[in-house]
Amino acid sequence: MKLGIAGLPNAGKTTLFNALTGQKAETGSYANANAKPNIGQAKVPDPRLDWLAEYYHPKKYTPATMDFVDIPGVGKGQGKGNAALQAIRQVDAIVHVVRCFENDDIFLEEADARRDAETLDLELILGDIELVERRLERARKAGKSGEKKAKRECEMCEQLIAHLSEGLPARSFPFTEEDRDILQDGGLLSVKPVIYAANLDEDGMAHYGDDPNFRALSALAAEQGCAVLPVAAKFEEDISDMDGEEAAMFMEELGLTERGLDRLIRTSYDLLGYISFLTAGEDDVHAWTIVRGTKAPRAAGKVHTDIERGFIRAEIVAFEDLKACGTMQAAKEKGLFRLEGKDYVMQDGDITNFRFNI
């Protein structure tokens, strides 16, 4: 589960990365920025795990995590030689940081969120056109030798190039299941899910709903079917080193009840279709990440491959049921403790104990 933090130079990508991961990667103007991506990890906030920790007082506390890649600023017109585009190909989704603040310290054009967002989107689309054109050329050569799949691949590539040439991202192209099989190793950039992170200063964050750049970016996100979240990356980085009470005080001054980073991480988690099941006891309370729709044996394999191989059943109580009852014994007495077999589809927040035999 890897998310790329991308955007134009000086949009605040590395500042956001530092706030998310607690790292101290160098920030500064694009000319001095490190050309290599920074890589870090962030914990997925989960109040359910906090409640279980209070209930069990475990020796170990293990939240789910997400990997973030701080991708160097994407320059205009760099095409296939752009190292940033190559880094974006390796991630599952994009957190597209868009500047919604003015900065007199660095020579920048006046903030225009829609312009900047569309500029990066265009770079991704142009990168995809280059890639699909090469794919089309190979498919045409294969078609001459009589490969059956090559004809459909040629048709799809031609249609996709026409779509991209209209300035539309690949994620809005009506792929068939057959197309998806053809392109599963295609490395398309503009097919990746996107969250727009509207990067505001403190004043803008306090009244983001009235900020013209935030509103413009929200309109673009709505047109594209993407998510958009307001963040104040510099503020978030500043409070990341504070203790809880001090950070809460500064957040209260901006009218914030939770960190924007928590919302960003949760939205990213949802964007990729992930859920968490939980294991809990005196030794460890642990959140395990799985894809929505995963059946119990496969989920057991996240804990240990031997458990999946020897799976017998899953003993499950929903977190909300346990919390409402107050104790595991009370949940059992109310019939809320269930035994599930191999065909059970795991649900978000299932507190699970796997029975197995090998």
Side-chain angles (χ1 to χ4, degrees):
M1 188 163 49
K2 185 181 294 185
L3 278 80
I5 302 177
L8 297 184
N10 300 310
K13 302 175 302 299
T14 302
T15 301
L16 181 63
F17 172 83
N18 286 341
L20 280 164
T21 65
Q23 295 197 24
K24 302 295 182 185
E26 181 183 356
T27 60
S29 66
Y30 180 61
N32 297 321
N34 193 333
K36 293 183 179 180
N38 299 305
I39 300 174
Q41 197 171 75
K43 296 176 182 178
V44 177
D46 194 336
R48 300 171 303 190
L49 213 61
D50 297 336
W51 189 93
L52 289 170
E54 287 293 321
Y55 181 82
Y56 283 104
H57 301 288
K59 299 173 185 175
K60 190 177 179 183
Y61 177 94
T62 314
T65 58
M66 300 189 76
D67 292 332
F68 285 92
V69 181
D70 172 29
I71 295 169
V74 177
K76 297 180 183 179
Q78 293 182 356
K80 62 185 179 182
N82 190 334
L85 297 188
Q86 299 305 318
I88 292 173
R89 294 190 200 282
Q90 308 304 315
V91 301
D92 300 309
I94 301 170
V95 177
H96 183 168
V97 182
V98 182
R99 180 170 65 94
C100 296
F101 61 89
E102 304 299 340
N103 191 333
D104 296 330
D105 296 330
I106 302 173
F107 180 75
L108 294 171
E109 297 177 276
E110 184 178 345
D112 185 331
R114 183 165 187 132
R115 175 202 65 204
D116 290 352
E118 290 179 336
T119 296
L120 177 57
D121 288 345
L122 181 59
E123 290 300 314
L124 301 185
I125 289 168
L126 291 174
D128 282 347
I129 290 174
E130 290 183 355
L131 185 146
V132 180
E133 284 177 341
R134 294 197 298 271
R135 187 79 182 242
L136 175 58
E137 184 179 350
R138 292 197 299 270
R140 283 173 174 163
K141 290 179 181 178
K144 291 178 181 179
S145 64
E147 273 192 37
K148 294 180 180 179
K149 192 171 74 170
K151 181 180 179 181
R152 172 56 195 156
E153 188 168 350
C154 285
E155 293 174 353
M156 184 271 296
C157 286
E158 289 169 351
Q159 293 166 3
L160 180 54
I161 289 170
H163 177 89
L164 294 167
S165 298
E166 292 180 8
L168 300 171
R171 60 181 169 272
S172 65
F173 183 78
F175 291 107
T176 66
E177 288 305 313
E178 184 182 3
D179 294 337
R180 293 184 185 280
D181 288 342
I182 292 171
L183 282 174
Q184 64 182 352
D185 62 343
L188 288 173
L189 297 162
S190 66
V191 78
K192 297 180 184 296
V194 170
I195 298 172
Y196 286 111
N199 191 12
L200 300 133
D201 57 21
E202 290 186 33
D203 290 338
M205 188 66 190
H207 307 284
Y208 67 85
D210 298 324
D211 185 272
N213 276 300
F214 178 76
R215 291 204 302 263
L217 190 59
S218 296
L220 178 63
E223 292 168 16
Q224 297 182 344
C226 297
V228 60
L229 287 172
V231 296
K234 186 64 176 71
F235 173 78
E236 296 279 358
E237 184 183 38
D238 289 343
I239 67 171
S240 64
D241 292 329
M242 298 178 185
D243 61 39
E245 289 186 7
E246 187 180 10
M249 180 184 68
F250 279 95
M251 288 171 58
E252 186 177 358
E253 290 180 4
L254 287 186
L256 303 176
T257 57
E258 67 172 340
R259 295 187 65 186
L261 301 183
D262 289 349
R263 289 184 290 110
L264 176 59
I265 292 171
R266 286 201 306 270
T267 301
S268 302
Y269 205 68
D270 293 340
L271 182 71
L272 294 173
Y274 287 102
I275 62 172
S276 292
F277 73 91
L278 313 169
T279 55
E282 293 180 358
D283 288 333
D284 187 20
V285 293
H286 199 128
W288 304 88
T289 303
I290 55 174
V291 177
R292 191 177 298 278
T294 298
K295 292 185 177 180
R298 179 62 62 86
K302 293 288 291 185
V303 180
H304 199 285
T305 53
D306 284 347
I307 302 178
E308 179 178 6
R309 184 159 54 91
F311 179 88
I312 299 174
R313 65 178 180 268
E315 301 172 345
I316 290 175
V317 60
F319 171 79
E320 293 301 332
D321 288 338
L322 174 61
K323 184 177 179 181
C325 292
T327 67
M328 187 66 74
Q329 184 59 38
K332 289 179 179 180
E333 290 173 357
K334 291 185 177 182
L336 299 173
F337 185 84
R338 315 186 314 271
L339 302 181
E340 302 288 358
K342 293 181 177 181
D343 292 329
Y344 175 70
V345 176
M346 300 293 292
Q347 301 299 307
D348 189 42
D350 278 348
I351 301 171
T352 311
N353 179 50
F354 294 110
R355 294 294 183 183
F356 67 103
N357 182 35
I358 56 173

